[in-house]
């Protein structure tokens, strides 16, 4: 067969495959999703048995070490492993990915005795992992295996085996790693989230590790965005409404906080209060006769998106942040919108 004839035959094969796949694309996609859901359900069921017990041991092993989690794998398991290492690192568990081939060419030196190795291999017979596994055994470095075959070379060598069920790939030939990669990924996420919760990893620490992007905006606190000091619209409770109106016009928050002798916030005057009490004598009226007592407040460490939820729920546009009852800042809905809190 000439090269041109071979090329024509290959093009025809690709065209035929495309034609077949184009028919019922929605049904084919739905079948793939359903197979993935079925695979996840099988993993969930396995948690009632040996997988759940091994999962607990793996969590305790990682929490008990003073080092890092070294994640490794090759092929699709390697891609899943890279994602898992990144998720662990961003949620309070020191972790990084070591490629098994690079490990055999010097990167084993990145692994310390107090680390834990987490190796992913669907078959458990990945030859490229052999040097990494041998290194872990030689120096008694804890080894956790994620595989479908506990009786494999990797499974037998590991201290803890997270044995996944044999699932049907969504590939029609049951060959391309699809459902298997999905459950590896889901198990890895479950491990990362469990470690996150067991470590007491807070949203503030999460923000420290995620300083950029939309996620960072969602993790900003009230303290990051509020206006404090002389920018707060405040009057004492013995003030007259004439002073309140001047303060409200100067600060433009649509409200004025009222403080007592000890500096605590005892009330607030809003545009609504003004409309309800408007009259010829308003300017000479003491503020305590107009203000709303026990105003809505929040703490400065609260997340900004929680402040937005509060404003939406209570139908207000500004709120004071207080510490020990004393105002330390004021937050307006426009501050949240400018920061990308939506």
């Amino acid at each position: 067969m000439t090269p041109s004839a071979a090329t024509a035959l290959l093009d025809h094969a690709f065209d035929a495959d495309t034609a077949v796949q184009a028919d019922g694309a929605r049904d084919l996609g739905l079948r793939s999703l359903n197979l993935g859901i079925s695979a996840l359900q099988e993993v969930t069921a396995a948690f009632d048995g040996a997988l759940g017990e091994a999962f607990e041991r793996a969590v305790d092993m990682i929490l008990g070490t003073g080092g890092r989690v070294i994640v490794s794998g090759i092929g699709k398991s390697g891609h899943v492993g890279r994602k898992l290492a990144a998720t662990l690192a961003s949620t309070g568990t020191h972790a990084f990915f070591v490629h098994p081939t690079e490990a055999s060419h010097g990167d084993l030196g990145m692994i310390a005795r107090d680390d834990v190795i987490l190796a992913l291999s669907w078959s458990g017979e990945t030859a490229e992992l052999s040097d990494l596994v041998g290194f872990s055994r030689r120096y008694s470095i804890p080894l956790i295996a994620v595989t479908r075959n506990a009786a494999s070379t990797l499974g037998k060598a590991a201290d803890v085996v997270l044995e996944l069920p044999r699932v049907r790939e969504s590939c029609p030939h049951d060959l391309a790693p699809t459902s298997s990669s999905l459950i590896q990924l889901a198990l890895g996420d479950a491990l990362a989230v469990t470690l996150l919760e067991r470590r007491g990893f807070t949203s503030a620490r999460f923000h420290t590790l995620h300083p950029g992007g939309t996620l960072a905006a969602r993790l900003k606190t009230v303290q990051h965005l509020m206006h404090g000091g002389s920018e707060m619209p405040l009057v004492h409770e013995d003030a007259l409404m004439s002073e309140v109106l001047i303060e409200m016009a100067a600060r433009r928050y649509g409200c004025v906080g009222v403080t007592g002798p000890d500096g605590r916030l005892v009330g607030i005057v809003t545009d609504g209060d003004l409309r309800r009490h408007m009259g010829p004598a308003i300017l000479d009226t003491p503020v305590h006769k107009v203000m709303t007592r026990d105003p809505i407040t929040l703490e400065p460490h609260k997340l900004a998106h929680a402040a937005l939820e509060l404003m939406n729920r209570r139908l207000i546009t500004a709120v004071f942040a207080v510490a020990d009852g004393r105002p330390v800042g004021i937050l307006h809905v426009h501050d949240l919108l400018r920061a990308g809190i939506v």
Side-chain angles (χ1 to χ4, degrees), residues 21-306:
Q21 293 172 8
D23 294 334
R26 182 181 301 182
D27 292 336
L28 292 173
L30 185 60
R31 185 190 67 183
S32 177
L33 291 172
N34 283 330
L35 284 169
I37 292 170
S38 177
L40 290 171
Q41 289 172 337
E42 290 190 47
V43 176
T44 302
F47 249 68
D48 291 332
L51 179 57
E53 295 172 1
F55 185 87
E56 290 183 348
R57 294 199 302 275
V59 169
D60 290 340
M61 179 177 286
I62 294 172
L63 291 174
T65 182
R68 297 85 38 95
V69 177
I70 312 301
V71 186
S72 190
I74 202 162
K76 301 301 184 292
S77 293
H79 292 307
V80 172
R82 288 181 184 278
K83 191 272 180 188
L84 173 54
T87 301
L88 287 168
S90 69
T91 53
T93 298
H94 299 301
F96 62 89
F97 181 84
V98 172
H99 194 284
T101 302
E102 296 298 335
S104 299
H105 293 274
D107 282 2
L108 286 174
M110 302 168 68
I111 305 172
R113 289 179 181 269
D114 57 351
D115 291 336
V116 175
I117 296 174
L118 180 62
L120 293 85
S121 171
W122 186 242
S123 68
E125 300 294 346
T126 303
E128 291 86 350
L129 285 170
S130 59
D131 289 335
L132 188 67
V133 171
F135 184 82
S136 75
R137 302 303 80 189
R138 179 181 179 184
Y139 293 102
S140 300
I141 299 171
L143 174 64
I144 301 170
V146 179
T147 179
R148 69 168 173 82
N149 186 6
S152 63
T153 302
L154 175 62
K156 290 178 179 178
D159 298 294
V160 177
V161 182
L162 299 176
E163 186 178 25
L164 293 167
R166 174 69 172 91
V167 295
R168 176 71 165 81
E169 303 288 7
S170 62
C171 161
H173 311 298
D174 195 23
L175 294 174
T178 45
S179 300
S180 57
S181 296
L182 176 64
I183 61 175
Q184 282 183 316
L185 185 63
L187 183 68
D189 284 343
L191 184 63
V193 170
T194 300
L195 291 166
L196 176 156
E197 296 204 38
R198 288 283 294 273
R199 293 183 191 279
F201 190 77
T202 64
S203 59
R205 290 180 61 198
F206 201 90
H207 181 266
T208 301
L209 300 177
H210 299 76
T214 304
L215 183 59
R218 291 185 57 207
L219 292 171
K220 288 185 181 297
T221 64
V222 170
Q223 193 167 16
H224 286 122
L225 304 175
M226 69 184 189
H227 305 271
S230 61
E231 294 185 74
M232 290 187 289
L234 295 172
V235 298
H236 292 291
E237 63 179 344
D238 58 355
L240 298 177
M241 285 301 297
S242 56
E243 299 175 56
V244 172
L245 290 173
I246 293 172
E247 187 71 8
M248 186 177 289
R251 305 300 176 193
R252 297 184 179 181
Y253 291 108
C255 65
V256 174
V258 183
T259 57
D262 59 357
R264 295 177 184 273
L265 190 70
V266 297
I268 190 171
V269 179
T270 66
D271 291 335
D273 294 317
L274 288 179
R275 288 192 296 271
R276 285 188 291 273
H277 292 85
M278 187 59 66
I282 184 68
L283 296 179
D284 296 322
T285 302
V287 66
H288 65 82
K289 292 186 177 181
V290 176
M291 71 183 188
T292 298
R293 295 187 178 275
D294 300 320
I296 300 167
T297 62
L298 45 68
E299 297 168 313
H301 69 267
K302 292 293 186 182
L303 290 176
H305 73 79

Side-chain angles (χ1 to χ4, degrees), residues 292-326:
T292 298
R293 295 187 178 275
D294 300 320
I296 300 167
T297 62
L298 45 68
E299 297 168 313
H301 69 267
K302 292 293 186 182
L303 290 176
H305 73 79
L308 181 60
E309 187 278 331
L310 174 67
M311 291 183 185
N312 286 333
R313 177 163 44 85
R314 301 302 296 268
L315 302 178
I316 58 177
T317 58
V319 62
F320 278 96
V322 299
D324 192 27
R326 294 176 174 82

